[in-house]
């Protein structure tokens, strides 16, 4: 029989006691080597946590019960679909309201689910701002999502598109990007047009193939039901009954973004994503996204969502890196 692991006592008066059963074959994945994930949870809650065998005993304030259950459910789910890591635990804690940016409300985490398309994969929102993003995109025909790298702007947009597509709410998914990155142009790259543009669209391909089996993605692309195209190829088209995503919109000019937005036809939804701190245009003041955020702000039916460093779902260091660059940018502007 395994020895109970006790954590430090935080309260003299315990409001509630409950037990969570843990899958015996996944204990190390869920709790982490030397209980590092469990210690991360323990440091974020007021409750006392004790592991006895395959059970987690929780003693603490009753208002934490459902939220702790939600965090453990997410950790167990992560252990089934991939390795649990520190950033995943932090995201679960944030979603449950234990970290800044979380809702702190007791809600069934199934409400945060966007898509289940591939076996073993569940795409969920993991912060209050991500939930606002998803709700806005569901309710509005045009949504702008702006924020730093790693906040899920593109991945969640693709998940929403896949959800609408598999539910037959739209006939097509159209993924669009301006072919401008780090000062390079298409002529810089070798090969034919497809070979030239493919590197620009790799994040979109990766997200798609996470959610739809690769053989299905290929079949849908052959049928033109999923299309990946440079922004320049949108000119003159009308995009009807489609879910359209314009990614990296900070690298569009005002004229390009206007052209894209006026392509929308009946039965279509669009999401425009971008990061104003990563403009790769030669003249950074010409970003069409920056102008649109001001120009279109008061138009009914368009939603604007801001994501922040607290919404980052990549490696835990990414939040700190973004904040460091933000501080440096602020200092530069003041000097």
């Amino acid at each position: 029989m395994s020895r109970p692991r006790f954590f430090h006592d935080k309260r003299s008066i315990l409001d509630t006691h409950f037990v969570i059963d843990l899958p015996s074959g996944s204990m190390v994945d869920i709790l982490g080597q030397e209980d590092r994930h469990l210690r991360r949870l323990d440091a974020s809650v007021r409750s006392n946590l004790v592991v006895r065998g395959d059970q987690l005993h929780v003693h603490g304030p009753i208002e934490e019960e459902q939220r702790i259950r939600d965090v453990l459910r997410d950790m167990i789910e992560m252990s089934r679909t991939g390795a649990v890591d520190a950033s995943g635990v932090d995201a679960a804690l944030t979603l449950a309201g234990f970290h800044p940016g979380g809702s702190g409300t007791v809600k069934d985490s199934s409400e945060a689910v966007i898509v289940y398309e591939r076996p073993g994969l569940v795409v969920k929102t993991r912060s209050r701002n991500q939930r606002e993003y998803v709700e806005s995109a569901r309710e509005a025909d045009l949504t702008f999502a702006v924020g730093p790298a790693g906040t899920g702007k593109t991945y969640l947009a693709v998940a929403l598109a896949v959800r609408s597509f598999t539910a037959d709410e739209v006939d097509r998914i159209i993924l669009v990007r301006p072919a401008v990155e780090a000062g390079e142009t298409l002529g810089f790259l070798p090969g034919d047009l497809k070979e030239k543009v493919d590197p620009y669209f790799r994040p979109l391909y990766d997200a798609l193939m996470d959610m739809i089996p690769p053989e299905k993605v290929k079949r849908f692309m052959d049928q033109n039901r999923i299309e990946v195209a440079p922004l320049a190829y949108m000119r003159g088209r009308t995009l009807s009954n489609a879910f359209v995503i314009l990614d990296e919109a900070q690298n569009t000019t005002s004229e390009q973004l206007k052209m894209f937005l006026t392509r929308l036809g009946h039965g279509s939804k669009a999401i425009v994503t971008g990061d104003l701190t990563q403009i790769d245009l030669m003249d950074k003041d010409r970003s069409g996204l920056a102008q649109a955020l001001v120009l279109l702000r008061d138009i009914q039916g368009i939603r604007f969502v801001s994501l922040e460093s607290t919404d980052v779902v990549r490696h835990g260091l990414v939040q700190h890196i973004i904040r460091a660059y933000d501080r440096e940018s602020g200092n530069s502007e003041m000097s």
Side-chain angles (χ1 to χ4, degrees):
M1 180 176 177
S2 60
R3 187 164 61 89
R5 281 103 84 190
F6 295 92
F7 291 83
H8 60 283
D9 187 17
K10 304 171 194 175
R11 291 175 57 89
S12 57
I13 301 175
L14 303 177
D15 297 332
T16 188
H17 167 236
F18 61 95
V19 176
I20 297 175
D21 293 319
L22 303 173
S24 57
S26 305
M27 291 285 285
V28 174
D29 290 336
I30 297 166
L31 303 182
Q33 293 287 344
E34 299 179 348
D35 292 334
R36 67 182 61 177
H37 300 327
L38 187 59
R39 292 181 188 280
R40 210 174 189 88
L41 170 61
D42 180 69
S44 301
V45 304
R46 289 185 292 154
S47 298
N48 294 320
L49 309 178
V50 180
V51 178
R52 292 192 178 97
D54 296 342
Q55 293 182 324
L56 175 66
H57 291 252
V58 183
H59 304 257
I62 194 167
E63 64 268 18
E64 285 191 345
E65 176 175 350
Q66 186 57 51
R67 292 192 286 150
I68 290 174
R69 288 185 184 276
D70 287 345
V71 173
L72 263 296
R73 179 170 51 191
D74 282 348
M75 290 170 67
I76 292 169
E77 187 176 273
M78 280 186 270
S79 75
R80 291 170 179 157
T81 60
V84 185
D85 58 17
S87 61
V89 177
D90 283 344
L93 288 165
T94 299
L95 182 61
F98 289 117
H99 285 182
S103 68
T105 57
V106 177
K107 293 178 66 176
D108 187 336
S109 65
S110 64
E111 294 180 21
V113 172
I114 303 170
V115 63
Y116 287 98
E117 174 63 14
R118 286 196 77 172
L121 174 75
V122 179
V123 179
K124 283 179 153 186
T125 58
R126 294 193 174 276
S127 71
R128 179 184 58 202
N129 288 334
Q130 286 189 354
R131 280 202 301 278
E132 181 186 344
Y133 174 19
V134 168
E135 289 166 5
S136 295
R138 285 174 173 169
E139 294 171 3
D141 288 337
L142 175 58
T143 301
F144 285 81
V146 180
T151 50
K153 303 183 302 295
T154 300
Y155 200 82
L156 290 176
V158 173
L160 286 161
V162 168
R163 182 179 181 276
S164 291
F165 181 71
T166 56
D168 293 324
E169 296 170 357
V170 296
D171 296 331
R172 294 180 294 164
I173 296 174
I174 302 176
L175 308 175
V176 182
R177 264 191 168 196
V180 177
E181 294 208 11
E184 298 172 358
T185 64
L186 288 177
F188 171 83
L189 297 169
D192 60 21
L193 180 62
K194 183 179 186 304
E195 291 170 329
K196 286 176 184 288
V197 301
D198 273 357
Y200 293 95
F201 293 100
R202 180 49 52 191
L204 297 171
Y205 284 128
D206 289 346
L208 263 179
M209 291 184 184
D210 271 359
M211 301 171 207
I212 301 177
E215 62 277 10
K216 280 191 175 183
V217 172
K218 184 179 185 306
R219 183 169 77 248
F220 290 142
M221 292 183 76
D222 290 343
Q223 297 168 348
N224 289 322
R225 297 188 66 197
I226 295 180
E227 180 180 351
V228 181
L231 177 60
Y233 279 51
M234 294 298 103
R235 191 172 298 279
R237 298 181 60 181
T238 299
L239 308 176
S240 300
N241 300 313
F243 201 115
V244 191
I245 299 170
L246 174 59
D247 196 35
E248 298 288 338
Q250 75 274 6
N251 290 327
T252 63
T253 64
S254 177
E255 294 81 6
Q256 287 174 324
L257 187 52
K258 176 184 175 183
M259 179 271 291
F260 171 80
L261 295 175
T262 54
R263 299 306 93 202
L264 292 180
H266 294 294
S268 287
K269 274 183 172 285
I271 295 179
V272 177
T273 73
D275 177 359
L276 292 174
T277 69
Q278 296 193 37
I279 298 173
D280 296 319
L281 297 171
M282 297 297 289
D283 182 356
K284 296 185 186 298
D285 292 332
R286 292 191 64 215
S287 173
L289 178 61
Q291 182 193 50
L293 295 178
V294 177
L295 192 63
L296 307 180
R297 176 63 62 177
D298 296 325
I299 296 181
Q300 189 172 1
I302 301 178
R303 295 285 188 90
F304 298 85
V305 179
S306 295
L307 297 163
E308 303 168 356
S309 60
T310 52
D311 301 302
V312 169
V313 292
R314 292 181 182 168
H315 192 288
L317 283 174
V318 175
Q319 286 190 13
H320 300 293
I321 291 169
I322 290 170
R323 288 169 183 161
Y325 275 98
D326 286 345
R327 286 194 298 270
E328 175 62 23
S329 175
N331 292 337
S332 297
E333 290 173 1
M334 289 185 287
S335 59

